[in-house]
Amino acid sequence: MTLAPIALTQGDPSGIGPELALMAYVMRESCDLPPFFLLSHPAFIARVAATLALEIQIESTTAAQAGDVFSRALPVVDTGRHVVAGAPGRPDRQDAQSTIGSIEQAVECVAKGEARAVVTSPIAKSVLYDAGFKHPGHTEFLAELAHRHYGGDYRAVMMLWSEELAVVPITIHIPLASASKNLTRELIVETGEIVAHDLRARFHISKPRLAFAGLNPHAGEEGALGREEIDVIEPAIAELRARGVNASGPFPADTMFHESARAKYDVALCPTHDQALIPIKTLAFDRGVNVTLGLPFVRTSPDHGTAFDIAGKGIADPTSLIEAIKLAGRIS
């Protein structure tokens, strides 16, 4: 059976997403990439390729026909939105609907069976907010789209993955001052169960090992440096164990990420955003992949932003996007 291709969103058209998609297509054979199609504007993508002097065939097609096109040209499925207003490095709020529409259409393609996974290119949330976008980011928007197409409610969990390390921030895009009050036993248990389920179902790890970091220095030093570990994290870990999840901790975050420590778990779950993202971006900055767990479809994304400062210069590194496409193919 021929597998459906992967749907790749354009991201902010003034960022590096479109040029990285082109570079990934150029490197498809050397990197052994599964077939994918880009949701954007064919004329715009052709213009980006010409600007970067990339000799590449681009073909306007439908999602259903994209798999047949991939061997001879980059398949671009037109989002049907207006032409791109912004220039490389100069985003325009007029392009927000095109960016949002690309994401919506990618999920619709998966729901219809025309794609087997979604890979999202970087967006600039500030640009989308100016146009009325109401979600904190990609992850929350994808959960809403999952509800729209699949029914039910989904709690999306962000995991950053690389061969060296996988991490999950339990609280995500909130001020650090709010992390403690948002770090509840229920949130930790729900997050842990979603992570364990998807590591089994998607990554085929039969008995995933979840290691939890403490919130406070030295994991609270038995209450001397804070009681969140005693009052919240430890009871949550105990509940996860009672539910059959191989959970351990809480461990001091500053000793969890050296090589021998990483060998003892499959994923590290951290109370705050930066506790999780700093180590993986240190170890695998160019190779890290953002994976959304808890959805009825596979979604990955490169672990970097729009990089407006280098957009259009042809110097952006496609490694993270290539890894995101490869991982999407592997786990879908």
Side-chain angles (χ1 to χ4, degrees):
M1 181 180 70
T2 301
L3 294 173
I6 291 166
L8 173 60
T9 70
Q10 71 171 15
D12 191 299
S14 296
I16 61 174
E19 60 192 87
L20 294 185
L22 288 163
M23 293 178 192
Y25 183 76
V26 169
M27 300 170 68
R28 66 193 183 283
E29 293 182 355
S30 62
C31 294
D32 194 24
L33 295 184
F36 61 89
F37 61 87
L38 177 60
L39 287 151
S40 187
H41 311 268
F44 163 66
I45 297 301
R47 190 164 69 247
V48 174
T51 299
L52 299 174
L54 291 174
E55 295 184 2
I56 180 173
Q57 294 296 316
I58 295 164
E59 187 169 328
S60 179
T61 184
T62 64
Q65 297 172 328
D68 296 329
V69 171
F70 186 78
S71 62
R72 64 175 182 266
L74 171 62
V76 180
V77 176
D78 199 328
T79 59
R81 310 284 173 145
H82 57 72
V83 296
V84 173
R90 298 196 300 275
D92 193 308
R93 61 185 298 177
Q94 294 182 69
D95 293 327
Q97 291 306 317
S98 176
T99 301
I100 294 168
S102 179
I103 302 167
E104 291 175 326
Q105 196 168 338
V107 175
E108 182 179 357
C109 288
V110 175
K112 289 181 176 179
E114 297 173 337
R116 60 180 165 125
V118 174
V119 176
T120 57
S121 293
I123 58 175
K125 291 188 282 288
S126 60
V127 177
L128 301 187
Y129 294 156
D130 287 344
F133 188 68
K134 301 183 184 302
H135 301 277
H138 257 130
T139 303
E140 297 82 1
F141 185 37
L142 289 163
E144 179 189 293
L145 293 176
H147 173 75
R148 182 187 306 176
H149 290 284
Y150 293 86
D153 294 319
Y154 299 94
R155 225 273 287 172
V157 170
M158 182 173 74
M159 180 172 77
L160 282 298
W161 178 92
S162 70
E163 293 289 353
E164 297 92 336
L165 174 66
V167 296
V168 170
I170 300 171
T171 65
I172 309 178
H173 299 123
I174 60 173
L176 186 58
S178 302
S180 178
K181 66 181 179 181
N182 282 273
L183 186 71
T184 64
R185 174 174 174 170
E186 293 76 17
L187 176 63
I188 296 169
V189 171
E190 183 181 28
T191 302
E193 286 200 305
I194 291 169
V195 171
H197 173 274
D198 277 24
L199 287 183
R200 290 191 298 268
R202 303 284 192 198
F203 288 78
H204 305 294
I205 301 173
S206 59
K207 296 180 180 179
R209 300 166 297 167
L210 279 60
F212 286 80
L215 173 68
N216 297 296
H218 302 177
E221 198 77 77
E222 297 184 358
L225 299 177
R227 291 195 55 86
E228 286 86 356
E229 287 76 13
I230 295 170
D231 296 338
V232 180
I233 303 176
E234 289 178 7
I237 292 172
E239 184 172 343
L240 283 167
R241 287 175 180 161
R243 298 186 184 194
V245 176
N246 184 356
S248 60
F251 302 109
D254 62 347
T255 59
M256 280 187 65
F257 299 106
H258 58 85
E259 186 174 4
S260 61
R262 299 197 307 272
K264 298 175 183 177
Y265 58 80
D266 296 301
V267 59
L269 293 90
C270 302
T272 68
H273 179 277
D274 284 9
Q275 279 180 315
L277 270 65
I278 287 173
I280 192 168
K281 290 193 174 186
T282 300
L283 289 168
F285 183 79
D286 294 325
R287 302 181 308 283
V289 177
N290 186 342
V291 187
T292 304
L293 309 180
L295 298 178
F297 55 86
V298 168
R299 178 263 179 158
T300 68
S301 178
D303 184 25
H304 58 67
T306 53
F308 290 129
D309 58 322
I310 61 171
K313 298 179 180 179
I315 59 174
D317 185 349
T319 302
S320 187
L321 177 61
I322 287 170
E323 292 298 321
I325 295 171
K326 290 171 70 172
L327 183 62
R330 168 183 157 189
I331 66 176
S332 63

